[in-house]
Amino acid sequence: REPNPLLIWGAPGIGKTAIIEEVAKLHKMELSNTRLVVADLATMRPEDFFLPAAKGGVGKDYDSNTKATRLPVEWLPLYDVKLGEEGNKSANGSDNSGGLIFFDEIARCSPEVQDVMLKLCDDSRRIGNYKLGSKWVIICAANRASDETDSDKTFRFSSTLGNRFKQYNFVPKFSDWASWASSARDKDGDLVVAPEILVF
């Protein structure tokens, strides 16, 4: 069974993206080895997921059987469902280990992009006739509605989309931070946080 998508809620600057980066690093998932995909949904449109293409002859090879179709963009590890397990293996990468797709700002994306995400994040993990590789995990992050103070930024998260995720609300506690701050050191071995700050 494919892994369920996760959604992390939390205030701006609280460390949602940093958590994802650390998890990816721990599992050796990087942009350079194509095992990590990062996308900011607030800046995306539905056409960013697919490109138009011609199926059949093109140019001088055009014939009456040529049809318009759509192909997934290269950064999405999708495969044509007609290819079955071979397509799945190809989408999962040369070592069949898959990777992590991190979609940031899911609560700020347009309703049209949320419609694309509905199918990608449900049990079918599909967009049209293309399916996400079985070894890929989707993690999304969002600010909570109560955190939105900028009038230019709109909170648009639908409950229908929310039902696709395991959701976690990231709320750090002082005791957790203090535990880290009392022992965190930089590359020279010096404390990152002065002890006086902890006492204060």
Side-chain angles (χ1 to χ4, degrees):
R1 187 180 192 289
E2 287 92 357
N4 287 331
L6 303 177
L7 173 55
I8 301 172
W9 295 96
I14 210 165
K16 300 182 294 293
T17 302
I19 290 171
I20 303 307
E21 289 171 350
E22 286 301 312
V23 168
K25 193 186 302 180
L26 183 68
H27 293 281
K28 297 180 174 43
M29 297 174 180
E30 301 170 6
L31 295 171
S32 61
N33 66 16
T34 65
R35 293 194 57 220
L36 175 65
V37 174
V38 179
D40 183 344
L41 290 176
T43 63
M44 293 181 71
R45 299 181 309 206
E47 54 267 30
D48 293 327
F49 292 85
F50 276 86
L51 294 171
K55 188 175 184 180
V58 181
K60 63 181 176 147
D61 298 323
Y62 174 84
D63 63 38
S64 59
N65 294 321
T66 299
K67 295 182 179 178
T69 187
R70 297 182 315 150
L71 295 174
V73 291
E74 187 180 18
W75 60 266
L76 261 180
L78 297 171
Y79 66 95
D80 190 324
V81 293
K82 288 183 252 171
L83 298 176
E85 190 51 37
E86 283 305 309
N88 182 42
K89 285 180 183 174
S90 175
N92 285 330
S94 56
D95 60 357
N96 199 36
S97 59
L100 171 66
I101 305 176
F102 176 50
F103 289 115
D104 204 1
E105 303 290 2
I106 192 168
R108 287 184 180 163
C109 69
S110 70
E112 294 78 17
V113 169
Q114 286 196 29
D115 286 344
V116 174
M117 295 296 291
L118 278 171
K119 283 296 184 188
L120 189 59
C121 294
D122 73 5
D123 289 342
S124 72
R125 292 165 53 100
R126 286 172 62 160
I127 304 178
N129 291 328
Y130 291 86
K131 185 168 180 166
L132 185 65
S134 61
K135 301 281 181 74
W136 283 85
V137 176
I138 296 174
I139 300 181
C140 298
N143 299 335
R144 300 162 302 194
S146 59
D147 299 320
E148 297 296 347
T149 56
D150 188 341
S151 59
D152 291 340
K153 295 178 178 170
T154 308
F155 185 88
R156 308 183 164 103
F157 194 69
S158 77
S159 58
T160 307
L161 182 55
N163 290 336
R164 268 57 173 179
F165 293 92
K166 285 186 176 179
Q167 299 187 38
Y168 298 91
N169 190 19
F170 182 49
V171 183
K173 297 183 285 190
F174 174 75
S175 58
D176 294 334
W177 179 82
S179 174
W180 168 83
S182 64
S183 60
R185 296 184 179 274
D186 63 19
K187 63 182 181 203
D188 298 323
D190 297 325
L191 285 170
V192 174
V193 179
E196 294 82 4
I197 293 176
L198 284 168
V199 172
F200 175 76

